[in-house]
Amino acid sequence: MWASAREARTALINSDKLKLPLTGSRMPAEIILQRTPDDDALLDKREQLAIVRTTLAERESELAQIRAQLKTFEGRYVRQVGILYAELDDLEARIAEREVDLYDSDSARRRAEETRQRAQETHDAAFSEAREAEEFDPPPSLKTLFREVAKRIHPDFARDDAEQKHFTLLMARANQAYTRGDTETLQRLLDDHREINASIAGEGAAAELLRITRQIHHAERDIATLNAERNTLLASEIAQLHLDAEAAAREHRDLLTELATNLREQIADAQRRFELIDRQISAHGK
């Protein structure tokens, strides 16, 4: 009898426990997984940030390929054609300077000055790249700025894989800017990092939402900048010449070789004119 009563009370207590709400590790799954509106907005923003950063990386890669392609073509152009233009313009300047001795007029002097200036510009365009590479010596201010940027966006300081990929992209941009002596781009990278990570009142999803919104804004601005730079590059003279060279190649022609052949003919003609005017000056005893 007493045993039956104890069993009955135990059964009643156990049944009451099942009716009590569980806490801690025994909380029902539907309560644990319930999200707030801020959590949903944060998830959407993270997805948006991932998309915009992927687009930014693609634009960076595409622009880098265009730069490399045009730089390679420009190097070939300078070696095959540019130096011949410099030689031709120098000959034309020498002819104009000899004409001053022959005619001794203001118009001849003006023409000599103009052709010599053009010859100098052509020479600089043909040979400046190698000289600039030798002379590159960044000032202390540029070195300091670069170090400040690197301390903030180096991939080693990333908090996760996604940020590491983004920092790798930013660091490549910083290295390019440093090589070009581009203080403006380095300063913008530093300012962007400071703004994105500026202190935000409060914690949790709302604060993180604001930080990610800032990151999206800067990424979208960078995409617009890269698109503008791409359009400028593709509209440049060297890019148009590259397109012409590709079109000629489809017809089994080498456009740069054709240009070089034509320039050599012009140089030979200019050399004959120089020798002729030299003989005229000698005949007049000048």
Side-chain angles (χ1 to χ4, degrees):
M1 176 179 176
W2 290 106
S4 298
R6 284 197 301 271
E7 292 171 359
R9 283 197 302 272
T10 301
L12 179 61
I13 290 170
N14 289 337
S15 65
D16 288 339
K17 285 182 179 178
L18 292 174
K19 295 175 183 177
L20 292 174
L22 299 177
T23 58
S25 61
R26 300 176 64 188
M27 185 175 290
E30 62 270 17
I31 297 177
I32 295 173
L33 298 178
Q34 186 175 1
R35 293 202 304 260
T36 67
D38 278 348
D39 291 330
D40 290 333
L42 184 57
L43 182 60
D44 290 342
K45 282 295 182 182
R46 282 174 175 159
E47 291 176 352
Q48 186 179 348
L49 178 61
I51 291 171
V52 78
R53 279 184 169 174
T54 297
T55 301
L56 178 59
E58 290 171 351
R59 294 291 187 277
E60 287 272 13
S61 176
E62 180 184 8
L63 188 57
Q65 290 177 8
I66 292 173
R67 287 197 198 102
Q69 191 175 43
L70 291 182
K71 186 175 181 62
T72 298
F73 177 77
E74 187 174 17
R76 183 185 166 209
Y77 171 83
V78 168
R79 290 190 299 272
Q80 289 189 237
V81 180
I83 57 174
L84 294 178
Y85 269 120
E87 183 179 351
L88 176 61
D89 283 351
D90 180 66
L91 263 175
E92 294 291 352
R94 289 167 60 195
I95 290 170
E97 288 161 354
R98 294 298 275 159
E99 286 177 343
V100 173
D101 295 335
L102 184 63
Y103 301 117
D104 191 23
S105 66
D106 290 340
S107 61
R109 277 187 284 273
R110 283 196 301 272
R111 182 173 182 277
E113 291 173 0
E114 291 170 357
T115 53
R116 176 51 65 189
Q117 181 178 354
R118 184 169 63 248
Q120 186 63 50
E121 291 171 354
T122 307
H123 179 275
D124 290 346
F127 299 101
S128 61
E129 184 175 343
R131 187 173 62 252
E132 287 174 1
E134 293 173 359
E135 294 176 354
F136 179 67
D137 183 19
S141 58
L142 182 64
K143 294 179 181 178
T144 300
L145 179 58
F146 178 74
R147 283 195 295 267
E148 287 297 312
V149 172
K151 283 192 296 187
R152 289 164 173 80
I153 66 170
H154 195 280
D156 288 348
F157 305 143
R159 292 169 293 185
D160 52 44
D161 290 344
E163 189 169 67
Q164 185 180 48
K165 289 180 181 178
H166 184 60
F167 277 10
T168 299
L169 182 149
L170 293 182
M171 200 65 213
R173 192 187 304 170
N175 283 320
Q176 291 168 2
Y178 178 72
T179 302
R180 297 194 305 266
D182 185 354
T183 304
E184 183 180 344
T185 295
L186 287 173
Q187 188 63 53
R188 188 170 65 247
L189 287 169
L190 183 60
D191 292 343
D192 285 355
H193 186 275
R194 286 171 173 167
E195 181 182 343
I196 289 169
N197 293 279
S199 59
I200 300 172
E203 296 295 335
E208 184 66 12
L209 187 63
L210 181 53
R211 275 189 287 267
I212 292 178
T213 300
R214 289 175 178 175
Q215 291 173 314
I216 292 171
H217 169 74
H218 285 290
E220 289 175 338
R221 185 210 59 197
D222 288 346
I223 289 171
T225 300
L226 292 174
N227 286 340
E229 185 176 349
R230 176 184 180 276
N231 293 337
T232 299
L233 270 179
L234 293 179
S236 65
E237 290 185 15
I238 195 67
Q240 294 301 310
L241 185 60
H242 182 246
L243 288 176
D244 293 341
E246 288 184 327
R250 289 192 291 271
E251 299 174 357
H252 307 290
R253 294 167 41 227
D254 187 328
L255 181 62
L256 295 189
T257 298
E258 293 175 2
L259 290 173
T261 299
N262 180 264
L263 281 169
R264 288 191 181 93
E265 292 173 356
Q266 293 183 56
I267 289 170
D269 177 68
Q271 186 64 44
R272 286 191 292 270
R273 287 188 286 114
F274 179 79
E275 292 169 356
L276 175 61
I277 197 169
D278 209 38
R279 288 196 298 270
Q280 289 175 329
I281 291 173
S282 298
H284 287 79
K286 295 184 179 180

